[in-house]
Amino acid sequence: MKSSRLASAMLILAVTTALAACGDGDKATTAGSTTPAPTSAAPSAVATSAAATPTSSAGAGAASDKKLCEAVKKASDEMRAEMVKVVTTGEASAADFKKILTGLEQKVTAVASTGDGKLTDALRTFAAEAGKAAAAADPATAADNPAFEKAGKDASAACKAAGVNMVL
């Protein structure tokens, strides 16, 4: 059982490293965009700032999706950083993975609740899959499934269409 946990941890580390490599080109953009908004704000603050755009004119739909995706990208980056920290500081426990996946689920759900359409449907599906994995006895193994991967790809594709490159 220990070797499967180690394999899961190594798989997650490899995935997060690959995700980090994908996001390096956007780091300058991300750093500039997070400066005006408080970086230590609670998820509700992110949702509040994203919620203001959908109520504006109908032509602002693309901007709204972009803001939603930027908020999800930030949540994903935070999760990835936490995952790397947990995996590199010692043996990661099921509780560690549960905490990370639960946090990701909550943040993505909060962001998705501020919008509507194809993007928010994809985000809700991803959040639900993260919640299922977090609720499992072995969250790291539960997160390694085709449904979770597909939900992440669908949300990432919807964000790419909105002009935000990210990988969930």
Side-chain angles (χ1 to χ4, degrees), residues 79-116:
M79 181 273 308
R80 183 176 35 242
E82 186 64 27
M83 183 72 68
V84 169
K85 185 173 90 174
V86 165
V87 172
T88 59
T89 59
E91 189 171 326
S93 69
D96 292 329
F97 290 115
K98 179 180 178 115
K99 178 183 172 191
I100 292 167
L101 287 167
T102 300
L104 182 62
E105 173 200 14
Q106 291 170 346
K107 289 177 182 180
V108 173
T109 298
V111 171
S113 71
T114 65
D116 59 5

Side-chain angles (χ1 to χ4, degrees), residues 118-119 121-127 129-130 142-159 166-168:
K118 182 179 177 181
L119 171 63
D121 290 343
L123 294 177
R124 286 184 186 105
T125 301
F126 177 80
E129 289 297 324
D144 185 22
N145 73 68
F148 194 32
E149 183 178 339
K150 181 182 182 320
K153 284 182 180 180
D154 290 348
S156 296
C159 283
M166 65 163 206
V167 178
L168 282 177

